[in-house]
Amino acid sequence: GENVEQHPSTLSVQEGDSAVIKCTYSDSASNYFPWYKQELGKGPQLIIDIRSNVGEKKDQRIAVTLNKTAKHFSLHITETQPEDSAVYFCAAIFTGGGNKLTFGTGTQLKVEL
Amino acid sequence: KAGVTQTPRYLIKTRGQQVTLSCSPISGHRSVSWYQQTPGQGLQFLFEYFSETQRNKGNFPGRFSGRQFSNSRSEMNVSTLELGDSALYLCASSPDGQVGTEAFFGQGTRLTVV
């Protein structure tokens, strides 16, 4: 069935360190993989996305990698800052039975001073 | 460019009542999706509308319904409210194209059922 698994559920790093969040998906036909950041009391904010024809995409301190063969993708945040603290969600579009965006369970990232 | 606007931000309703939530998408976006977010179930897809037609539906009971108007604004309705319907309801708008791509979310409506 449609499933996106996300790990870890919580992640604590020191300011300036890197953070990595990993997701796996079940539908090999999935072709779009966004990442969202959700701060307390706000809706999810799209921070980066990647399509299946690309292996890696970078935007300043944020990068996403995709391994279609293994059906997993990862979010990399370098030089973390306290304002990076939030819940991060990965997602994938499942094409079977109609396209819909399915989310992972979220990672609570805490950047400590 | 204004973002996705959801109203109201907060709602308290009694079991058995019904509720209507509103979403105004980003100007030019014709796809509107709705999601329910709870601590236990996470973000779950409710339905998606494009050009006033429901294109896709999640696994929710028929008490959850929606519609989209000609200006792309959307409403969702929940009838016969249950305690378990307490959640953050999020609306997301996307430009034309594949459902769910480049989806931008509103701040949500926090519904509490008592």
Side-chain angles (χ1 to χ4, degrees), chain A residues 4-108:
Chain A
V4 177
E5 291 190 5
Q6 183 172 347
H7 299 282
S9 57
T10 61
L11 179 59
S12 185
V13 299
Q14 293 294 314
E15 182 180 9
D17 287 351
S18 295
V20 180
I21 303 171
K22 299 181 179 182
C23 289
T24 59
Y25 59 97
S26 57
D27 181 4
S28 58
S30 295
N31 58 9
Y32 177 73
F33 308 90
W35 285 89
Y36 286 86
K37 173 185 181 182
Q38 187 173 26
E39 297 174 281
L40 202 60
K42 296 185 177 181
Q45 174 194 1
L46 178 64
I47 57 172
I48 195 167
D49 56 11
I50 192 167
R51 296 180 188 270
S52 57
N53 58 348
V54 175
E56 184 174 1
K57 184 177 178 181
K58 191 174 180 181
D59 182 4
Q60 300 183 331
R61 297 187 295 108
I62 293 173
V64 56
T65 58
L66 171 65
N67 183 325
K68 284 212 71 179
T69 303
K71 292 191 284 185
H72 67 70
F73 55 114
S74 301
L75 177 71
H76 304 253
I77 305 174
T78 59
E79 301 172 20
T80 54
Q81 301 167 2
E83 52 265 38
D84 294 329
S85 296
V87 179
Y88 291 81
F89 292 94
C90 62
I93 283 188
F94 286 89
T95 55
N99 295 336
K100 51 181 156 179
L101 200 56
T102 299
F103 286 82
T105 49
T107 296
Q108 175 75 61

Side-chain angles (χ1 to χ4, degrees), chain A residues 2 31-32 34 36 38 41-46 49 51 89 93-95 97-105, chain B residues 9-10 35 37 42-45 48 55-59 88 90 98-108:
Chain A
E2 304 154 354
N31 58 9
Y32 177 73
Y36 286 86
Q38 187 173 26
K42 296 185 177 181
Q45 174 194 1
L46 178 64
D49 56 11
R51 296 180 188 270
F89 292 94
I93 283 188
F94 286 89
T95 55
N99 295 336
K100 51 181 156 179
L101 200 56
T102 299
F103 286 82
T105 49
Chain B
R9 289 290 312 277
Y10 302 92
Y35 295 81
Q37 186 175 28
L43 275 154
Q44 292 190 293
F45 173 78
E48 185 258 353
R55 281 201 298 197
N56 203 0
K57 189 177 187 305
N59 298 322
L88 180 67
L90 292 159
Q98 186 181 21
V99 172
T101 54
E102 298 177 71
F104 294 90
F105 283 83
Q107 299 228 55

